[in-house]
Amino acid sequence: MNIIQCNDSKEVALLSYRIFKEQLIKKPNSTLGLATGSTPILLYNELIKGSQLNEISFKKVNIFNLDEYVGLNSEHKNSYAFFMKEYLLNFIEIEDNHFHIPNGTACDLIEECHRYNNLLSSTKIDLQLLGLGENGHIGFNEPNTSFESTTHLVELTENTRKNNSIYFKSINDIPTHAITMGISNIINATKILLLAIGENKAEAVYNLINGPIDVKFPGSILRNHPDVTIILDKEAATLINKVK
Ligand code: F6R
């Protein structure tokens, strides 16, 4: 694993932008795996700037998002489909049918997991972006999810719902379930880039790097992947530096 420490979140965004730019220059029709949440927002700003300056282009790119809440449609302001439009898609040139995300309002959610998983199986993600949950989740693969899991329906833990509550009016509005790419879908990507920002991620980052590779901490599986880069700000790196 390649671990890079930055001074602040701005530097994390600039460095990760460089990795995306390299990927899109090397392969303009790349398949990208993208994440939502607060962590990638500054990177998405850089991707927008880069495409406006014609440094990069999304015209031939396919995007697969990690996850979506059950019960929220793409017009709901808390859905991840809406998030992607608001923070990236509305500002780049990408074919409508090149953006993929699970449909959290499908009548048959199990069938929707199969549909999304079949789509993922028909392609190979060149570069997968990840954030990290305080409990070690990647995507919405909560602790004790099998490393062999494919796209599935998941019940969100109280910890995850609490951490995501800032985006909702009340805790009761937060969906209890989501559809997520499984760990095996994530691990199948050619290259993985995980970003972590802020002191609340320090313990999870420490466990990812130093703890046992165990389903109790889903992110630990990344240590078995041949091409993972982790970019951290100073706060997220606090505990790994203490131990040295
Ligand atoms: C989001 C996702 C989650 C987040 C993680 C960190 O699509 O799959 O795993 O990456 O919960 O969230 P933030 O960035 O909000 O701290």
Side-chain angles (χ1 to χ4, degrees):
M1 267 188 328
N2 180 18
I3 302 167
I4 304 172
Q5 295 187 30
C6 296
N7 284 317
D8 54 29
S9 54
K10 177 79 188 158
E11 214 178 295
V12 172
L14 289 174
L15 259 187
S16 24
Y17 171 67
R18 239 188 265 164
I19 293 175
F20 271 83
K21 184 176 160 188
E22 232 168 67
Q23 175 66 41
L24 294 180
I25 287 173
K26 190 176 75 187
K27 187 177 173 195
N29 62 344
S30 288
T31 299
L32 303 177
L34 295 185
T36 55
S38 53
T39 310
I41 290 177
L42 289 180
L43 163 64
Y44 292 164
N45 290 345
E46 293 306 316
L47 291 175
I48 292 168
K49 266 194 245 161
S51 77
Q52 287 169 351
L53 292 170
N54 286 324
E55 287 181 0
I56 53 172
S57 164
F58 287 88
K59 283 184 188 150
K60 295 182 179 160
V61 165
N62 265 284
I63 293 175
F64 283 85
N65 256 66
L66 281 167
D67 39 24
E68 179 60 283
Y69 286 121
V70 165
L72 307 190
N73 67 33
S74 62
E75 299 308 316
H76 191 291
K77 72 173 183 35
N78 289 121
S79 74
Y80 283 166
F82 191 88
F83 174 102
M84 290 306 291
K85 285 189 265 183
E86 200 170 51
Y87 286 104
L88 183 67
L89 302 173
N90 286 346
F91 307 97
I92 59 172
E93 277 187 72
I94 182 164
E95 300 288 333
D96 280 348
N97 61 352
H98 282 197
F99 174 66
H100 312 275
I101 189 163
N103 175 4
T105 55
C107 303
D108 185 338
L109 294 167
I110 301 298
E111 186 46 44
E112 175 58 12
C113 293
H114 288 145
R115 182 196 69 83
Y116 200 65
N117 206 63
N118 286 340
L119 268 182
L120 286 169
S121 306
S122 67
T123 184
K124 171 106 179 146
I125 293 182
D126 296 294
L127 174 58
Q128 174 67 56
L129 177 69
L130 295 176
L132 180 64
E134 284 178 20
N135 62 3
H137 74 215
I138 48 175
F140 270 141
N141 293 286
E142 301 283 33
N144 296 315
T145 304
S146 157
F147 287 154
E148 273 77 51
S149 57
T150 54
T151 308
H152 61 285
L153 187 61
V154 61
E155 180 168 5
L156 301 174
T157 61
E158 278 314 299
N159 174 276
T160 297
R161 292 182 71 233
K162 201 179 85 221
N163 287 336
N164 290 1
S165 63
I166 47 166
Y167 304 107
F168 292 83
K169 261 197 238 130
S170 100
I171 186 121
N172 297 327
D173 294 333
I174 308 172
T176 52
H177 291 76
I179 293 177
T180 183
M181 272 191 207
I183 295 183
S184 74
N185 302 116
I186 293 173
I187 281 298
N188 193 35
T190 307
K191 185 178 179 65
I192 297 179
L193 173 62
L194 180 137
L195 310 182
I197 293 168
E199 203 168 355
N200 61 321
K201 298 294 170 73
E203 195 177 333
V205 167
Y206 176 84
N207 288 332
L208 192 158
I209 295 169
N210 300 292
I213 299 178
D214 193 297
V215 289
K216 289 195 191 106
F217 193 88
S220 61
I221 190 64
L222 299 178
R223 300 228 302 277
N224 282 347
H225 190 282
D227 190 353
V228 175
T229 298
I230 299 186
I231 307 186
L232 310 166
D233 71 349
K234 238 195 249 150
E235 283 75 25
T238 332
L239 291 179
I240 53 174
N241 289 336
K242 263 192 197 149
V243 168
K244 267 194 227 159

